[in-house]
Amino acid sequence: QLSGTIPNQVGNLGSLIFLELGENSITGELAEGLFSLRSLQILSLKSNKISGSIPSNAKLLTSLNTLFFESNNFTGTLPTQLGALTLLSFFTVNKNQVSGTIPPEFFSLNKMKWVYFDSNKLSGTISSLIGNLKELNQFSMNKNLLTGSIPSQVGDLTKLELFWVQENNITGIIPSEITKLSLMKWFTIVANSISGTIPDGIGAYTSLRQFWLNHNYLSGTIPSQIGKLLTLTDLNINRNQIIGTIPTEVGRLTALSVFHLGQNSISGSIPSQLGRATKLGVVALFQNSLSADIPTEVGRLTLLKILSVDNNKLSGTIPTQIGRLTQLTFLSLGANAQLGGNIPTQLALLTALTALEVLDTNVFLTAASSSKVCPILTSCRNTRITETECSKCVANNPSSQAITVQLSMSLLIISVATWLAT
């Protein structure tokens, strides 16, 4: 583990091509001697404690192909002289305290493939000049202070696979031009103020794996073309203003692991075709206007760990097939006024459960009102189970053996509930 500062004498190593000093405890500012290394092609100083600004003398490293400055304490602005590094292909300065805007000269670096600016204090807009970076493969500016809109010129970056701009102040719409990016794998615009609709041509993203649009102001419907995203593993549109129904085409997404549409205004039924997406581990559809029965096909999702459909307008009964979901840890069905009947005994098979919520406005019959006994609260004799009554019954009947989970909403696993809301 190296410490101290980089000695100025490093400049004497005039034939040096590769300098890797990453993941140490180096402090101080960049030594002036570094910029005498005219043959240097790769410089990695990531994960140290280097401070100061990126000096304009960086322009002297004209052979540089790779420059990794991530995870340090750099401050100041990005120097315009970076535009002189015409061979630069990989540049990371994420996790620093760099401020100001990205200089226009940076977008003249037409060999650039990777750019990571995450977790800084960069402001301004994403320049339309980004379209000049024809070789760009990965572009990430998460957690900055960006404003303005996503320029349509992003659609010119035909080699782009990763586009991350989450947690900024970006407005405007998702430009339709981005649907030309058939190589896109990771697309996230989380936690901005983006409006408009999800582009209809989204089916062109035939290599897409991660599609995160949550925490924005998107409206309109979910395009049926989403069914063409056969490589998609993670879909999150939580906390927008989406309307319409869940397209039945989601049943084609056989690689899907996370399906999060919570906190929208989606209506209609939960499509039975969802049961074909058998790799699902998370289904979160809470706080919508979904109606009709929970489809029995949900029992096919045997890898499911989280199922949250609370705060909808679901009706019917809890399907017994849920008992097949033996990996389920979180099950939330509450606040569905027409969802009732008896709690099925098959829930006792869910031995991995750490949080179960079936109460609130739901109606579940017990022995007093029918000949059927609630399998969880075998001694309860109330006509309807409410949250308060349920908690009392659990407290008074510690020997209940049917299922060992706490039913009170106030005792739900907070970490899981918090995750679902993000």
Side-chain angles (χ1 to χ4, degrees):
Q1 186 77 18
L2 298 177
S3 58
T5 61
I6 299 172
N8 202 45
Q9 290 83 351
V10 71
N12 295 330
L13 306 176
S15 299
L16 199 63
I17 295 174
F18 180 94
L19 180 58
E20 166 64 85
L21 296 174
E23 300 182 15
N24 283 289
S25 297
I26 297 171
T27 57
E29 300 187 6
L30 294 175
E32 188 67 27
L34 273 175
F35 307 108
S36 300
L37 303 177
R38 307 299 170 81
S39 299
L40 195 63
Q41 296 178 18
I42 299 174
L43 173 60
S44 176
L45 301 175
K46 63 181 181 180
S47 301
N48 280 286
K49 301 175 182 178
I50 300 171
S51 57
S53 60
I54 300 172
S56 59
N57 279 352
K59 68 181 180 180
L60 301 176
L61 302 177
T62 52
S63 298
L64 210 58
N65 167 270
T66 301
L67 183 57
F68 290 160
F69 281 163
E70 66 194 79
S71 300
N72 278 286
N73 297 315
F74 285 112
T75 56
T77 60
L78 295 170
T80 59
Q81 290 82 359
L82 284 175
L85 305 180
T86 56
L87 300 180
L88 195 62
S89 296
F90 304 96
F91 180 63
T92 67
V93 70
N94 44 309
K95 297 181 181 178
N96 281 282
Q97 300 175 48
V98 178
S99 58
T101 61
I102 303 173
E105 291 81 0
F106 184 84
F107 297 103
S108 66
L109 301 177
N110 56 19
K111 295 185 182 299
M112 188 66 71
K113 295 181 179 179
W114 287 10
V115 177
Y116 281 81
F117 288 128
D118 311 60
S119 301
N120 280 287
K121 299 176 181 179
L122 292 167
S123 56
T125 63
I126 302 173
S127 173
S128 60
L129 295 174
I130 194 173
N132 296 333
L133 305 182
K134 303 298 186 184
E135 299 298 315
L136 196 61
N137 179 262
Q138 299 183 16
F139 180 79
S140 184
M141 290 198 69
N142 294 339
K143 300 182 180 180
N144 278 285
L145 304 171
L146 296 177
T147 56
S149 59
I150 299 172
S152 61
Q153 288 80 1
V154 170
D156 296 331
L157 307 177
T158 55
K159 296 184 179 181
L160 196 63
E161 295 185 4
L162 182 148
F163 184 76
W164 284 351
V165 292
Q166 71 181 52
E167 295 183 50
N168 282 283
N169 299 307
I170 297 172
T171 56
I173 64 172
I174 302 173
S176 59
E177 288 83 357
I178 68 165
T179 59
K180 297 186 293 184
L181 306 179
S182 59
L183 299 181
M184 184 69 73
K185 294 180 180 178
W186 301 279
F187 184 87
T188 174
I189 57 172
V190 175
N192 281 284
S193 296
I194 295 172
S195 56
T197 61
I198 301 170
D200 287 334
I202 198 66
Y205 281 172
T206 53
S207 300
L208 196 63
R209 298 176 186 175
Q210 178 195 75
F211 196 40
W212 288 359
L213 311 177
N214 44 305
H215 290 240
N216 279 288
Y217 297 97
L218 294 170
S219 56
T221 61
I222 300 171
S224 60
Q225 282 203 20
I226 202 165
K228 296 181 179 180
L229 308 181
L230 302 183
T231 60
L232 190 64
T233 61
D234 195 334
L235 174 64
N236 194 334
I237 313 179
N238 176 45
R239 199 176 290 188
N240 277 284
Q241 299 169 7
I242 301 296
I243 59 173
T245 60
I246 300 173
T248 58
E249 287 82 359
V250 297
R252 300 175 185 170
L253 305 181
T254 54
L256 197 62
S257 175
V258 175
F259 187 57
H260 197 342
L261 306 182
Q263 296 174 291
N264 281 286
S265 298
I266 299 169
S267 56
S269 61
I270 300 172
S272 60
Q273 291 85 350
L274 191 62
R276 300 173 187 169
T278 54
K279 291 186 179 180
L280 276 169
V282 175
V283 173
L285 306 175
F286 60 93
Q287 292 184 33
N288 278 286
S289 297
L290 295 167
S291 56
D293 295 359
I294 299 172
T296 58
E297 288 81 0
V298 73
R300 299 176 183 173
L301 306 178
T302 54
L303 299 181
L304 206 60
K305 295 184 179 180
I306 294 175
L307 176 59
S308 179
V309 294
D310 57 276
N311 287 277
N312 278 286
K313 300 176 182 179
L314 297 171
S315 57
T317 60
I318 301 174
T320 59
Q321 289 82 356
I322 286 182
R324 301 173 186 169
L325 309 181
T326 55
Q327 295 192 41
L328 206 61
T329 61
F330 184 92
L331 175 60
S332 182
L333 308 171
N336 285 287
Q338 301 303 314
L339 181 64
N342 293 282
I343 300 176
T345 57
Q346 287 83 357
L347 291 191
L349 301 174
L350 306 180
T351 55
L353 270 182
T354 58
L356 170 64
E357 189 266 290
V358 293
L359 305 176
D360 202 353
T361 58
N362 294 5
V363 179
F364 294 98
L365 303 178
T366 59
S369 57
S370 74
S371 60
K372 299 177 181 179
V373 178
C374 168
I376 299 175
L377 305 176
T378 56
S379 301
C380 182
R381 292 297 181 267
N382 296 306
T383 303
R384 293 183 178 182
I385 300 173
T386 65
E387 180 183 343
T388 302
E389 292 164 339
C390 173
S391 299
K392 186 184 298 184
C393 284
V394 171
N396 293 337
N397 296 278
S399 60
S400 178
Q401 310 240 330
I403 188 167
T404 56
V405 296
Q406 180 57 273
L407 294 181
S408 173
M409 288 180 65
S410 62
L411 295 179
L412 289 176
I413 303 301
I414 299 302
S415 60
V416 177
T418 300
W419 179 88
L420 285 169
T422 62

